[in-house]
Amino acid sequence: MKKQAKVYKGRVLIVAGSDSGGGAGIQADIKTVTALGGYAMTAITAITVQNTLGVHGIAEIEPAVVTAQMVDCLDDIGAEVVKTGMLHSSAVIEAVLAGLERPSAPETLVVDPVMVAKGGTRLAAEETVQTLRERLIPRASVITPNLPEASTLLGRPVTGIDEMDQAAFDLLSLGPKAVLLKGGHLTGTLLRDVLVTADGLVYFDDPRIETRSTHGTGCTLASAIATGLAQGMELIPAVRRARAYVRTALATAPGFGAGHGPLNHGHTVRPFSA
């Protein structure tokens, strides 16, 4: 009997930078969406030269080409969700906004406000941060900042678990429908993420997984949430599944590289046999 082709449920258009090391960025996004049963499309904003030790170069994509990639995907294939990652300039953010104006663009937008690479390289100038804050974030269905990103967006340090609730509410006041503030940069045995919507606070608490293989965790989590939303899940279940997927990917990471290694994005995938 002929096997039926897999039916992909949940189309996600990812607008982000490429990671040559495969652990973060577009590469992590595609792996994540695919591993969770969705269909991934991409509009690449920049090509980075990087590995587990850091970012060693960035080649920018012309903003008009970013918009064109979005339009071609949206007008032909369509998408339930657009997810953004590395947007390194105000011009690129404006290009994304132009793509979102397309009649074929979905209403659901997941914004991962990528500003600093895992190795510490700054990826966004202050002008870019302001454009992100004022122009893109108010359109978002959910934003997924970590604590350094939250500190940059709010203009004050957010360094303790006791500061996360207020910081999340302050980020919500920037205009998104929801904020998932991630606590992975804190120390201690407890890892807490805080989800804030107009309905209030939800805590996601888990034991911390001690590993150096954390490259791409933010990209992966945001894309996993985007996939859940594209598949018709409500936000809280989408976050819960995304976090479980990331935790297993962390716990089973392959240990590649000499620095912050990649996750095991394919832990949901069974090897193919003819």
Side-chain angles (χ1 to χ4, degrees):
M1 181 181 294
K2 185 178 179 180
K3 290 184 178 180
Q4 288 186 330
K6 180 174 177 60
V7 177
Y8 289 92
K9 181 182 179 184
R11 298 164 296 176
V12 182
L13 173 58
I14 304 142
V15 188
S18 168
D19 171 10
S20 57
I26 286 286
Q27 285 81 353
D29 297 324
I30 294 172
K31 293 173 189 178
T32 299
V33 174
T34 303
L36 292 174
Y39 182 78
M41 296 157 284
T42 63
I44 298 176
T45 60
I47 298 171
T48 68
V49 180
Q50 66 173 298
N51 54 25
T52 66
L53 296 172
V55 178
H56 304 112
I58 298 175
E60 300 180 4
I61 302 298
E62 192 70 30
V65 177
V66 175
T67 304
Q69 292 176 85
M70 294 178 67
V71 169
D72 264 24
C73 292
L74 293 171
D75 285 1
D76 177 36
I77 300 169
E80 279 75 44
V81 174
V82 172
K83 180 257 178 179
T84 66
M86 176 184 169
L87 306 176
H88 56 279
S89 71
S90 293
V92 167
I93 295 172
E94 294 296 341
V96 174
L97 289 164
L100 292 173
E101 290 299 322
R102 200 73 176 177
S104 54
E107 292 185 3
T108 305
L109 172 65
V110 176
V111 173
D112 183 21
V114 178
M115 298 176 195
V116 180
K118 184 68 69 178
T121 302
R122 180 72 182 251
L123 301 174
E126 181 53 40
E127 176 194 354
T128 307
V129 173
Q130 183 175 347
T131 305
L132 182 71
R133 185 191 297 119
E134 296 178 358
R135 299 274 288 138
L136 190 65
I137 284 177
R139 297 189 57 149
S141 304
V142 57
I143 64 173
T144 61
N146 57 33
L147 294 185
E149 290 160 352
S151 299
T152 299
L153 288 170
L154 295 174
R156 70 172 191 269
V158 183
T159 57
I161 195 169
D162 57 330
E163 302 171 19
M164 290 181 67
D165 292 5
Q166 187 59 54
F169 277 115
D170 290 344
L171 288 166
L172 191 68
S173 72
L174 297 178
K177 293 183 176 66
V179 175
L180 181 67
L181 180 57
K182 302 172 296 187
H185 282 75
L186 298 178
T187 58
T189 58
L190 172 70
L191 189 147
R192 168 170 291 179
D193 296 336
V194 178
L195 179 67
V196 175
T197 67
D199 296 326
L201 278 166
V202 178
Y203 294 131
F204 297 91
D205 290 345
D206 283 295
R208 184 178 298 275
I209 297 172
E210 294 298 336
T211 175
R212 67 176 179 83
S213 298
T214 56
H215 186 51
T217 49
C219 306
T220 301
L221 181 64
S223 285
I225 293 169
T227 306
L229 296 176
Q231 293 169 335
M233 299 176 70
E234 295 296 327
L235 180 57
I236 292 176
V239 172
R240 187 174 293 119
R241 185 184 72 165
R243 293 181 82 259
Y245 168 77
V246 171
R247 287 183 62 78
T248 300
L250 282 166
T252 61
F256 295 152
H260 297 288
L263 312 185
N264 175 20
H265 291 96
H267 66 79
T268 65
V269 181
R270 287 179 293 178
F272 174 79
S273 58

